[in-house]
Amino acid sequence: QVELVESGGGSVQAGGSLRLSCVVTDNTSSTCSMGWFRQAPGKEREGVAVIFRGSETTFYGGSVKGRFTISRNSGKNIVYLQMNSLTPEDTGMYYCAARKFCSPSTSAFVAPSYNYWGQGTQVTVAS
């Protein structure tokens, strides 16, 4: 069984930073891809950043590239999302997700391909 618990959301001013954490409980080490998705009111869920276990290869959505960094503490099984230079467009519910496979990498941001989801943490960026 895999469980994901996010934390670290909150409200910040534009230009500020936040770090999200996702504690991954994976007793059978069955997950390969771990990532962050977000969803704003009235919009579809979009991929933000993904990391592959083992190779530690990372992928970023176009709107966050250069501002967000995904990383993984393998010893503690925690996935982080460091978010810098936040803008109001970054506002939304952020979800941690995991799936059993890594390849193909072209599916890294396909939300339905993820088997496990956290409950989400709200990020609000004021202008």
Side-chain angles (χ1 to χ4, degrees):
Q1 184 65 21
V2 177
E3 294 183 353
L4 309 174
V5 179
E6 305 100 331
S7 62
S11 298
V12 295
Q13 294 291 319
S17 299
L18 282 173
R19 188 176 80 157
L20 306 183
S21 300
C22 174
V23 177
V24 182
T25 303
D26 180 5
N27 296 329
T28 59
S29 298
S30 62
T31 57
C32 187
S33 302
M34 287 161 281
W36 292 92
F37 290 74
R38 68 186 180 188
Q39 188 165 20
K43 294 187 177 181
E44 293 187 356
R45 190 168 297 190
E46 64 169 336
V48 175
V50 169
I51 188 167
F52 286 175
R53 182 198 296 265
S55 68
E56 308 303 309
T57 304
T58 57
F59 304 88
Y60 295 94
S63 64
V64 308
K65 198 171 294 185
R67 300 187 298 123
F68 290 12
T69 302
I70 188 171
S71 60
R72 193 173 73 91
N73 182 322
S74 59
K76 296 182 178 180
N77 226 10
I78 301 175
V79 180
Y80 300 102
L81 183 68
Q82 177 66 44
M83 306 186 294
N84 298 328
S85 301
L86 286 161
T87 72
E89 288 68 37
D90 295 315
T91 294
M93 186 69 78
Y94 282 68
Y95 297 92
C96 181
R99 66 182 187 182
K100 297 179 180 179
F101 57 93
C102 280
S103 61
S105 60
T106 52
S107 70
F109 289 143
V110 177
S113 70
Y114 285 75
N115 311 93
Y116 311 103
W117 292 86
Q119 80 287 354
T121 185
Q122 178 67 37
V123 171
T124 302
V125 184
S127 58

